[in-house]
Amino acid sequence: MIFSCQVKLMSVSDNRKKEQVQAVLVKNRIDYKMKAKEAFRKNTYDSVKLGSLGNNQVKLTYSFYVKRDQADLAKHFLKDAGVL
C-alpha cells in the first residue's frame, strides 16, 4: 500500500473544505498525501422520467493521510482552525 506509514486523517467531499484542510496542513508544515476517489451518483427521479440520458453525477471524496506521529498534531491544528 502506498500510504502504509501514514494514517487516514479525514475524508471530505466538499471542494471548499478540501482547500481549507490543505491550507491548515501547509501552514503548519504537516506533510500529507491526498487521495481522490470518484463515486457516480444517479438521480433516481430523473432516471425513471428520462432513462439514462447522461444524468449521472460524479462525486469526489478526498482522503487526507499524514504520518502516524503527526496525526494528533494535525487534528489539533484542524480543530483550532474550525475545520474539524
Side-chain angles (χ1 to χ4, degrees):
M1 181 179 206
I2 296 172
F3 304 109
S4 61
C5 64
Q6 297 185 334
V7 293
K8 188 174 186 177
L9 181 63
M10 65 185 301
S11 294
V12 296
S13 56
D14 180 84
N15 198 37
R16 183 174 169 208
K17 189 138 186 172
K18 173 193 73 112
E19 292 172 0
Q20 290 175 332
V21 171
Q22 288 177 300
V24 170
L25 294 176
V26 168
K27 177 182 175 186
N28 293 288
R29 297 185 177 134
I30 302 287
D31 292 330
Y32 71 93
K33 295 206 184 303
M34 183 180 64
K35 182 178 177 184
K37 182 178 177 183
E38 288 183 9
F40 290 99
R41 291 188 300 174
K42 289 187 177 184
N43 188 333
T44 308
Y45 177 75
D46 288 343
S47 297
V48 172
K49 192 174 170 183
L50 302 172
S52 58
L53 297 174
N55 58 350
N56 298 335
Q57 297 175 344
V58 176
K59 179 181 179 184
L60 291 175
T61 300
Y62 303 96
S63 297
F64 289 88
Y65 296 85
V66 297
K67 292 180 182 177
R68 188 177 314 275
D69 61 345
Q70 292 184 324
D72 290 335
L73 188 59
K75 287 178 186 178
H76 172 74
F77 289 136
L78 290 168
K79 284 180 185 176
D80 281 353
V83 177
L84 255 184

